[in-house]
Amino acid sequence: MLDYGKKTYIMGILNVTPDSFSDGGDFTNIDIAVNHAKEMIELGADMIDLGGESTRPGHKFVSAEEEISRIVPVIKRLKQEINVPISIDTYKSEVAEEALKLGVDMVNDVWGLTYDGKMADVVAKYDGEVCIMHNQDGTEYDKDIMEAIKEFLQNSIDMALKAGVKKEKIVLDPGIGFGKTYEQNIEVLERLGELRDLGYPVLLGTSRKSVLGKILEGSTPKERVNATVATTVLGVRDGVDIVRVHDVKENKEAAMVADAIYRR
């Protein structure tokens, strides 16, 4: 779908949820959601990541039926009105299948194919791309955290390949903010480059997250733009291929400068 290695791609976040941590309720109206996607593309987004259920800590579980009802009308409009790849942010195979049927390009699974045993098969069935994210219940690790993350991701890669997902359609995400303490998140960010050992493109998602909020004490999520930009630059330095962000313009410009320096 994307020519990885030559530039850093910008994935614009489009949440059609009432309770996302940063923009919950902002884009639940279909027209507003589609217009926001168009705005992000005009500002430099290379792809749109659509989510119908918040995955923030303590989020309210949403049934597959409810999630489908939120995303399907938006996908139909997006497919008619934009011309960049679309990712669906879900860990439920039923939701992924409905999205893939409508022409969505990638499944962004925050549980790395481990929550729903049918997910890998569904992605393979539609010849889709998949972003496999590291996640776990709790923050206890019985080994070095990066070794644990790589082991989890490798297991999920094996699941994907066994199901028939093509190697060139797999992207990895270390899962900043998921199953990790503040200190663990910082360590993962410090050691991002080690994920390249697995041989796949890497996506980084830090946008407006609480790990940045802890550093910028007292900040609201929407006040963490500059902090997100800092992690984008560091990510490019460490070989990240995609950054998933709310604030497209600022991160696009930062990535362009970092690409000019680190991808010569």
Side-chain angles (χ1 to χ4, degrees):
M1 184 171 66
L2 302 174
D3 189 9
Y4 298 115
K6 295 185 178 179
K7 61 172 279 189
T8 304
Y9 291 95
I10 307 298
M11 175 186 275
I13 299 169
L14 181 61
N15 289 319
V16 290
T17 56
D19 59 341
S20 289
F21 80 97
S22 175
D23 55 5
D26 287 358
F27 309 112
T28 52
N29 175 279
I30 296 173
D31 289 331
I32 293 174
V34 172
N35 287 336
H36 183 57
K38 291 179 178 178
E39 289 169 2
M40 288 193 288
I41 293 166
E42 288 176 6
L43 292 171
D46 300 293
M47 60 192 304
I48 299 297
D49 188 46
L50 174 64
E53 177 184 1
S54 171
T55 52
R56 64 179 174 81
H59 73 279
K60 181 181 179 182
F61 177 81
V62 174
S63 69
E65 292 75 20
E66 173 66 19
E67 195 174 341
I68 289 167
S69 73
R70 291 177 181 179
I71 64 163
V72 164
V74 180
I75 293 172
K76 288 179 177 179
R77 285 279 303 277
L78 291 176
K79 291 298 293 183
Q80 293 173 347
E81 300 181 33
I82 69 172
N83 60 358
V84 302
I86 303 170
S87 168
I88 182 66
D89 183 358
T90 187
Y91 53 89
K92 304 184 188 83
S93 63
E94 306 102 300
V95 178
E97 183 152 23
E98 290 302 314
L100 289 163
K101 281 180 184 177
L102 293 172
V104 160
D105 303 275
M106 174 185 280
V107 175
N108 182 12
D109 185 346
V110 300
W111 278 102
L113 307 178
T114 64
Y115 179 88
D116 186 330
K118 298 178 182 178
M119 182 65 92
D121 291 327
V122 167
V123 174
K125 176 181 176 181
Y126 293 90
D127 196 25
E129 299 212 11
V130 63
C131 181
I132 296 171
M133 195 189 85
H134 171 266
N135 202 345
Q136 68 170 41
D137 290 318
T139 58
E140 295 294 325
Y141 291 83
D142 60 3
K143 61 182 68 176
D144 174 80
I145 190 167
M146 289 304 292
E147 290 305 313
I149 289 173
K150 288 194 288 184
E151 183 177 293
F152 174 99
L153 293 174
Q154 186 60 61
N155 287 337
S156 292
I157 290 166
D158 293 342
M159 289 170 56
L161 295 175
K162 183 177 180 181
V165 178
K166 294 175 182 174
K167 183 178 188 295
E168 63 269 23
K169 294 196 171 187
I170 296 173
V171 176
L172 307 180
D173 180 346
I176 300 299
F178 291 81
K180 301 169 187 70
T181 64
Y182 166 76
E183 291 79 10
Q184 290 166 343
N185 283 310
I186 292 295
E187 181 174 356
V188 173
L189 287 169
E190 180 186 4
R191 299 171 60 187
L192 268 179
E194 295 178 33
L195 289 183
R196 306 297 303 183
D197 297 345
L198 294 174
Y200 291 86
V202 175
L203 179 149
L204 179 64
T206 61
S207 188
R208 301 182 179 180
K209 287 186 175 177
S210 60
V211 61
L212 304 179
K214 187 171 178 63
I215 298 169
L216 304 181
E217 188 174 350
S219 65
T220 66
K222 291 181 180 180
E223 293 172 334
R224 300 170 192 164
V225 181
N226 293 336
T228 304
V229 165
T231 62
T232 290
V233 173
L234 294 172
V236 174
R237 180 199 64 184
D238 291 336
V240 162
D241 299 278
I242 304 172
V243 288
R244 180 181 180 273
V245 298
H246 298 85
D247 305 288
V248 169
K249 182 178 186 292
E250 295 86 348
N251 286 280
K252 177 76 170 185
E253 292 177 353
M256 289 173 68
V257 173
D259 280 343
I261 297 168
Y262 296 116
R263 294 191 192 274
R264 289 187 297 166

